[in-house]
């Protein structure tokens, strides 16, 4: 196609025209919708529009009828369901209310005729293709058979046992409904109804014959077995089989747990074993129901261990269940078993082990928590001895059994989760066992330290991340717990904390270990060193403020070691910094001591800053020295800080000037920052506390001069320090007037001004961002 326009211009023209057409089309569609609503509101007849602009044929654009919200099949099902319900209500009313006004012949004739008609009608309806109607009528017919059974009982056998009659009637109805559903296989209601009715005969018969809980349990179990056999052909029988089987096992478990002797527990054990056999058989026949094998395995454990339970203490009964249940885990090594059975057996062993571990852990937890009572009175030597006759010893045995099973399972299955459980459970059992067995205090501490050390060694040597994390967590928990226990006596504190600190130091120095484990050991070593020094100071008669001096030895030692700490240097230094903060907190009660501690801390930081990689600590050292000076001056009652800061500022600025001459790349912060801050910041603090005008004026002039000098020679430190101090002085001088003006203005003025400010900032937001970027770039180019 030839065009007088260039391709680019013609394409732009076409795009503009298409956009105009789209806008016009949207307008016309909106106008059309408005007109349709107008016609619908006025009740006008349907309107047909002419051909659309695109050339499509005319089509109805609006219908007078409302939109259909229900489909035809849905409406049909609702009507049929309502009809069936109404007929059922009518039949019930007729049977229960109007029955007495008719004779025996009339009653029998009416029920027989209506029931026969209701059961025969679905066959005719199915031949005519009315399946839904046939389902509704069949449901009414089934209900009428129930009413027939009730009428027969009320008229013909009023003196018969109601429960026994209900059992027989349920059996007859189940057979009748099953035959009816087999004859009319198209119907979906009769066969499931027959399955439901078949659940009642045996349990009701057991109740009628007063067979007791075990008799009812056997009836439920036999019915579940029949349902399981039927489920091979009728899938609807699977759910009743599961429900009744579970109910039978619950009855057996309740009777087993309430048995007073081993002889009384034999009968419930037989019921549980039969239920277990049924579950295993179901899983063997149908691989998808492996859960039946799991439930059966648990039932078998309860059955066997339940016989011994009445003769044992509660804690040892848990051990008995573990001894029976944990061997089920060995099914994982029996490939001859079907997958569903093997999976269910392993699951049953895991469930028994988990429940046993929880029960044992519930008995061990109070032993671990009891040591918190030591904090109420440190070094009181009042820790009570444990009673070995209680359930605690069995709890330790239960934890160790579960840990061993988990360890074996982790090696067989090559999965990390059982290994993690083995570490945690084994540590809990071994750590609590000395206390639970009533060992002497010294033996308890020795064994618990050994267990804690073993957990730490496992964390150092463990190649697996899961087991290593679990071992490290156990080692930390054990160290904290035994450290709390050691606070009960002075000798125990020094001995336990010293051994733990030495062990942590050895772990931090162990090169082949994972780095994060070594870092944690280093932090713990610094913490125990600090704790030992605090304990040593507490033994003396020194005041608490003087305890800070020995605590400072820890950061000093870490700073002295420096690079020799290797990979754990940074975490050790962070822990040492925390110790230094503790020293400052301890000395805060007396200004003179605080000044001394601040100065010594500055010496430590300055010594560490000698190394090139720790030069940043020089700033901390300077801050600590300045803080120590000002604490000492504040103690002496000094009110004119400039007399002490100016003699420091002048030589510091001279030194900075000489350094800049030798090294033009040196930062202005390193050259002039310390000297300027030494005077400007203390003077600013004094100016804010000074009600006179002389100091703020002099400080403001000095800050202005420093700011102009920084702008003139393009130096970042003087510019920012001087500007910040100047702004702070201005705020200090204007604050009273701002408060006075704010109090005189109406309350609505400030929100209004804030709103105007927000609108102005929002209107020029992009420009402000650009100006801010330029300012940042200018400051960044300063030296």
């Amino acid at each position: 196609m030839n065009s007088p326009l260039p391709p680019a211009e013609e394409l732009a023209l076409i795009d503009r025209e298409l956009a105009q057409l789209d806008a016009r089309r949207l307008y016309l569609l909106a106008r059309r919708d408005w007109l349709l609503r107008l016609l619908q509101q006025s009740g006008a007849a349907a309107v047909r529009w002419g051909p659309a602009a695109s050339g499509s044929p005319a089509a109805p654009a609006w219908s007078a009828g409302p939109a259909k919200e229900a489909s035809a099949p849905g409406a049909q099902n609702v009507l049929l369901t309502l009809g069936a319900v109404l007929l059922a209500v009518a039949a019930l009313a007729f049977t229960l209310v109007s029955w007495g006004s008719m004779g025996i012949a009339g009653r029998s004739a009416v029920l027989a005729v209506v029931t026969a008609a209701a059961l025969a009608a679905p066959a005719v309806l199915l031949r005519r293709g009315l399946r839904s109607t046939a389902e509704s009528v069949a449901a009414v017919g089934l209900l009428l058979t129930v009413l027939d059974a009730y009428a027969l009982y009320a008229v013909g056998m009023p003196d018969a046992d109601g429960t026994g009659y209900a059992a027989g009637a349920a059996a007859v109805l189940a057979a009748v409904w099953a035959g009816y559903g087999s004859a009319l296989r198209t119907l979906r209601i009769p066969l499931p109804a027959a399955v439901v009715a078949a659940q009642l005969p045996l349990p009701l018969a057991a109740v009628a014959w007063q067979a007791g809980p075990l008799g009812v349990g056997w009836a439920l179990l036999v019915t579940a077995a029949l349902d399981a056999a039927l489920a091979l052909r009728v899938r609807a029988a699977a759910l009743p089989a599961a429900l009744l089987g579970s109910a039978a096992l619950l009855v057996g478990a309740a009777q087993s747990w309430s048995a007073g002797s081993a002889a009384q527990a034999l009968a419930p054990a037989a019921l549980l074993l039969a239920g277990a056999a049924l579950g295993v058989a179901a899983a063997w026949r149908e691989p998808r129901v492996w859960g039946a094998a799991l439930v059966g395995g648990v039932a078998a454990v309860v059955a066997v261990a339940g016989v011994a339970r009445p003769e044992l203490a509660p804690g040892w009964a848990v051990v008995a269940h573990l001894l029976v249940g944990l061997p089920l885990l060995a099914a994982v090594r029996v490939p001859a078993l079907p997958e569903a059975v093997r999976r269910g057996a392993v699951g049953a062993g895991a469930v028994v082990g988990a429940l046993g571990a929880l029960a044992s852990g519930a008995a061990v937890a109070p032993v671990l928590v009891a040591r918190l009572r030591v904090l109420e009175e440190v070094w009181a030597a009042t820790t009570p001895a444990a009673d070995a006759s209680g359930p605690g010893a069995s709890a330790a045995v239960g934890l160790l059994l579960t840990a061993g099973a988990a360890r074996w399972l982790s090696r067989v299955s090559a999965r990390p989760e059982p290994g993690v459980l083995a570490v945690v459970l084994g540590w809990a059992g071994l750590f609590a066992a000395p206390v639970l067995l009533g060992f002497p205090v010294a033996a308890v501490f020795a064994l618990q330290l050994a267990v804690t050390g073993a957990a730490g060694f496992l964390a150092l040597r463990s190649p697996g991340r899961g087991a290593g994390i679990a071992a490290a967590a156990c080692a930390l928990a054990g160290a904290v717990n035994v450290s709390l226990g050691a606070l009960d006596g002075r000798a125990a504190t020094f001995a336990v904390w010293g051994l733990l600190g030495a062990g942590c130091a050895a772990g931090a120095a162990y090169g082949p270990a994972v780095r994060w484990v070594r870092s944690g050991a280093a932090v713990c070593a610094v913490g125990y060193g600090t704790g030992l020094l605090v304990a040593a100071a507490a033994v003396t008669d020194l005041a608490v403020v003087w305890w800070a001096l020995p605590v400072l030895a820890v950061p000093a030692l870490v700073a002295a070691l420096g690079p020799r700490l290797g990979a754990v240097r940074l975490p050790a230094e962070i822990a040492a910094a925390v110790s230094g903060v503790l020293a400052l907190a301890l000395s805060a009660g007396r200004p003179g001591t605080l000044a001394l501690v601040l100065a010594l801390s500055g010496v430590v930081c300055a010594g560490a800053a000698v190394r090139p990689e720790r030069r940043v600590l020089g700033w901390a050292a300077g801050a600590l020295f300045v803080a120590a000076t000002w604490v000492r001056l504040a103690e002496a009652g000094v009110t004119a800080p400039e007399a002490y800061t100016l003699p420091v500022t002048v030589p510091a600025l001279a030194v900075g000037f000489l350094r800049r001459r030798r090294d033009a790349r040196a930062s202005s912060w390193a050259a002039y920052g310390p000297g300027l801050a030494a005077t400007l910041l203390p003077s600013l603090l004094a100016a804010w506390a000074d009600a006179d005008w002389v100091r703020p004026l002099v400080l403001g002039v000095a800050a202005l001069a420093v700011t102009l000098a920084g702008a003139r020679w393009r130096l970042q430190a003087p510019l920012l320090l001087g500007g910040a101090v100047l702004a702070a002085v201005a705020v200090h001088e204007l604050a009273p007037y701002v408060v006075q003006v704010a109090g005189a203005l109406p309350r609505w003025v400030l929100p209004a001004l804030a709103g105007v400010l927000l609108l102005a900032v929002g209107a020029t937001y992009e420009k402000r961002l650009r100006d801010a970027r330029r300012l940042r770039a200018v400051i960044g180019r300063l030296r």
Side-chain angles (χ1 to χ4, degrees):
M1 297 178 64
N2 296 324
S3 174
L5 296 176
E9 296 182 6
E10 185 178 3
L11 182 60
L13 178 63
I14 291 173
D15 289 339
R16 286 195 298 271
E17 291 180 358
L18 288 175
Q20 293 175 357
L21 289 175
D22 289 338
R24 183 63 179 170
R25 183 174 182 274
L26 292 175
Y27 167 77
L28 292 176
L29 288 174
R31 181 72 178 174
R32 177 176 178 273
D33 292 337
W34 178 79
L35 291 173
L36 289 176
R37 289 194 299 271
L38 183 63
L39 290 174
Q40 185 176 7
Q41 293 174 1
S42 61
V47 178
R48 288 185 176 274
W49 294 84
S54 60
S56 59
W62 173 69
S63 175
K68 296 180 176 60
E69 297 181 353
S71 62
Q76 166 192 299
N77 293 334
V78 170
L79 293 176
L80 292 175
T81 302
L82 287 176
V85 170
L86 291 176
L87 285 176
V89 171
L92 287 172
F94 170 76
T95 304
L96 300 177
V97 179
S98 302
W99 185 260
S101 60
M102 300 180 64
I104 184 66
R107 302 170 189 172
S108 303
V110 169
L111 276 179
V113 171
V114 174
T115 304
L119 294 177
V124 178
L125 294 173
L126 288 174
R127 285 198 296 270
R128 296 193 176 187
L130 303 175
R131 179 177 176 179
S132 298
T133 306
E135 294 279 3
S136 300
V137 176
V140 175
L142 297 181
L143 178 61
L144 288 175
T145 58
V146 177
L147 295 178
D148 287 337
Y150 169 74
L152 180 61
Y153 171 74
V155 175
M157 295 178 289
D159 298 330
D161 179 64
T163 306
Y165 177 82
V172 173
L173 289 176
V176 171
W177 292 352
Y180 184 69
S182 299
L184 300 177
R185 291 185 175 275
T186 309
L187 297 177
R188 292 176 294 182
I189 293 179
L191 288 179
V195 172
V196 173
Q199 312 308 310
L200 303 176
L202 290 179
L204 290 177
V207 173
W209 294 339
Q210 299 180 355
L214 285 178
V216 175
W218 278 108
L220 292 172
L221 186 61
V222 172
T223 305
L226 296 176
D227 289 335
L230 182 61
L232 299 176
R233 299 187 60 184
V234 181
R235 186 173 300 178
L239 180 60
L243 293 177
L244 295 185
S246 300
L249 293 179
L250 289 176
V251 171
Q255 293 299 308
S256 177
W257 290 333
S258 62
S261 63
Q264 294 178 359
L266 290 176
L271 176 61
L272 291 171
L273 290 175
L278 177 61
V280 173
W284 200 297
R285 179 65 177 79
E286 183 57 51
R288 291 177 297 179
V289 293
W290 63 271
L294 187 151
V295 175
V298 174
V301 172
V302 175
V304 177
V307 176
R309 183 201 58 79
E311 311 299 333
L312 300 174
W316 293 108
V318 174
V319 175
H321 283 78
L322 289 174
L323 290 175
V324 177
L326 291 178
L328 292 175
L329 297 173
V332 73
R333 299 295 300 271
V334 185
L337 292 175
E339 175 65 22
V341 177
R342 185 166 64 250
R343 185 178 178 185
V346 174
V351 168
V352 173
L355 294 176
L358 289 176
S360 301
V364 168
V367 177
L368 302 180
V369 177
R371 281 181 168 168
L372 293 176
R373 292 179 296 177
V374 177
L375 297 177
E376 298 176 358
E377 190 175 0
V378 178
W379 291 351
T382 57
T383 302
D387 185 8
S389 62
S394 60
V397 174
L399 288 173
L400 294 177
L401 284 175
T402 312
R407 175 58 180 164
W408 178 84
L409 187 61
S410 67
R411 298 182 62 182
V412 171
S413 62
R415 293 186 60 86
E417 294 85 358
V420 173
L421 291 175
V423 171
V424 174
L425 296 175
W427 168 82
L430 292 175
F431 190 83
V435 181
L436 298 174
L437 295 175
F439 287 0
V441 176
V444 169
F445 281 130
L447 293 175
Q448 288 185 339
L449 284 173
V451 173
T452 303
F457 184 74
L458 179 61
L460 292 172
R461 297 294 301 271
S462 178
R465 188 170 182 83
I469 294 175
C474 291
L476 180 61
V480 172
N481 192 270
V482 76
S483 299
L484 288 175
L487 287 174
D488 194 50
R490 296 186 179 186
T493 300
F494 287 102
V496 172
W497 288 19
L499 290 173
L500 288 174
C504 291
Y510 186 68
V514 184
R515 183 173 181 178
W516 66 267
V517 178
R518 295 180 59 198
S519 300
V523 171
C524 292
V526 173
Y528 277 113
T530 304
L532 284 172
L533 291 174
V534 172
V539 173
T540 64
D541 294 331
L542 292 175
V544 176
V545 293
W546 294 107
W547 295 5
L549 296 179
V551 171
L552 279 179
V554 174
L557 178 61
V558 173
L561 293 176
R564 279 174 286 192
L565 295 175
V568 301
R569 180 182 181 183
L570 181 60
E573 289 177 344
I574 294 175
V578 175
S579 300
V581 173
L582 175 62
L584 294 177
L586 291 173
S587 63
R590 184 180 299 173
T593 309
L594 177 60
L596 176 61
V597 173
L598 285 170
L600 292 176
S601 301
V603 172
V604 173
C605 291
V610 173
R611 299 186 176 93
E613 68 276 7
R614 292 294 183 266
R615 289 288 171 81
V616 69
L617 292 178
W619 291 91
L624 290 170
F625 285 137
V626 171
T629 302
W630 282 108
V631 168
R632 179 65 67 181
L633 292 176
E635 183 186 16
V638 173
T639 58
E642 292 80 8
Y644 299 92
T645 57
L646 286 175
V648 176
T649 295
V650 173
L653 293 177
V655 172
F657 177 75
L658 294 176
R659 181 181 178 185
R660 290 271 299 173
R661 290 190 62 181
R662 290 196 306 268
D663 184 8
R665 294 178 298 177
S667 171
S668 63
W669 287 102
Y672 303 121
L676 293 174
T679 294
L680 290 178
L681 297 182
S683 298
L684 178 61
L685 295 176
W688 270 81
D690 193 351
D692 200 359
W693 60 272
V694 177
R695 178 179 278 113
L697 176 61
V698 175
L699 179 61
V701 172
L704 177 61
V706 170
T707 304
L708 294 177
R712 169 65 179 82
W713 284 288
R714 303 182 66 183
L715 298 175
Q716 192 178 88
L719 180 62
L720 294 182
L721 280 175
V725 172
L726 183 61
V729 172
V731 171
H732 174 265
E733 294 302 310
L734 292 177
Y737 301 100
V738 173
V739 172
Q740 182 178 1
V741 172
L745 292 176
R747 294 186 177 183
W748 59 267
V749 173
L750 292 180
L753 292 176
V756 172
L757 177 62
L758 290 176
L759 289 176
V761 172
T764 58
Y765 184 68
E766 185 176 1
K767 184 176 183 301
R768 297 293 181 271
L769 286 178
R770 185 168 60 252
D771 295 342
R773 295 191 190 98
R774 290 176 180 173
L775 178 61
R776 184 179 62 185
V778 170
I779 295 176
R781 287 194 294 270
L782 299 179
R783 291 171 289 175

